[in-house]
């Protein structure tokens, strides 16, 4: 099936393809975001003249990028993780690397959680002292 409009999904010799509009809509991101990831080399859609043609591999990579961002990984770490998928040992190397990154990310988040809990406790204590001082000022 060949597309009659630029926004319809198409099937070509190499499989199903999508336009930038379709990819952006499917993942809930802007065209600019998709182009940014392309500029960084994180995704590499086929070019047909000025039109970008996205394949399943591009969609998979975009999905991994967005998941990594949600988990708080910087783009360079996401790039490393995604690129490891193409490495000779592929999946094993990728999983070992990702597990190490998960451990680091978890430790960072747990430390941040402790810091936030400590800050809340300190605010509570400061609030208590301020209320006590205010109460003493209101006493005759």
């Amino acid at each position: 099936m060949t597309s009659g409009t630029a926004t319809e999904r198409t099937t070509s010799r190499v499989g199903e393809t999508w336009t930038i509009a379709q990819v952006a809509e499917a993942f809930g991101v802007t065209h600019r975001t998709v182009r940014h990831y392309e500029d960084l080399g994180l995704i590499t859609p086929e070019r047909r003249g000025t039109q970008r043609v996205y394949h399943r591999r591009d969609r998979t990579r975009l999905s991994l990028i967005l998941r990594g961002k949600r988990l708080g990984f910087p783009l360079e770490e996401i790039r490393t993780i995604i690129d490891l998928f193409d490495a000779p040992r592929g999946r094993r190397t990728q999983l070992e690397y990702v597990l190490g990154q998960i451990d680091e990310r978890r430790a960072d988040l747990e430390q941040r959680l402790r810091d936030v809990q400590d800050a809340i406790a300190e605010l509570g204590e400061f609030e208590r002292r301020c209320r006590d001082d205010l109460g003493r000022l209101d006493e005759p």
Side-chain angles (χ1 to χ4, degrees):
M1 155 178 103
T2 302
S3 172
T5 70
T7 59
E8 293 176 8
R9 186 175 10 186
T10 62
T11 303
S12 68
R13 291 179 287 133
V14 292
E16 201 167 22
T17 62
W18 295 266
T19 65
I20 191 170
Q22 291 168 320
V23 168
E25 183 178 346
F27 288 94
V29 297
T30 64
H31 295 199
R32 184 176 179 190
T33 297
V34 176
R35 286 190 301 271
H36 176 67
Y37 295 145
E38 180 184 350
D39 290 343
L40 294 174
L42 294 169
I43 55 176
T44 53
E46 177 186 349
R47 298 297 286 237
R48 293 183 187 155
T50 59
Q51 185 181 18
R52 292 168 172 86
V53 179
Y54 295 85
H55 296 275
R56 187 161 307 281
R57 181 177 189 270
D58 301 307
R59 289 176 58 101
T60 300
R61 289 176 73 92
L62 183 56
S63 176
L64 292 171
I65 293 164
L66 296 174
R67 183 179 304 153
K69 291 296 292 174
R70 279 192 306 274
L71 293 173
F73 288 102
L75 287 174
E76 281 309 310
E77 287 298 324
I78 293 169
R79 173 194 309 279
T80 301
I81 293 166
I82 292 173
D83 288 347
L84 282 172
F85 187 74
D86 296 328
R89 285 182 52 203
R91 198 155 175 85
R92 180 180 237 352
T93 303
Q94 183 186 31
L95 291 172
E96 289 170 348
Y97 181 81
V98 169
L99 286 171
Q101 293 302 307
I102 288 170
D103 289 343
E104 287 180 25
R105 184 71 185 140
R106 179 179 292 119
D108 178 57
L109 289 172
E110 288 171 348
Q111 181 59 54
R112 288 182 189 199
L113 178 60
R114 286 188 297 275
D115 292 345
V116 167
Q117 290 169 333
D118 289 347
I120 290 171
E122 287 177 29
L123 281 173
E125 178 59 25
F126 186 54
E127 177 186 29
R128 186 193 59 73
R129 284 185 281 154
C130 288
R131 290 188 186 281
D132 288 349
D133 290 348
L134 186 60
R136 280 192 289 278
L137 291 174
D138 290 339
E139 294 175 3

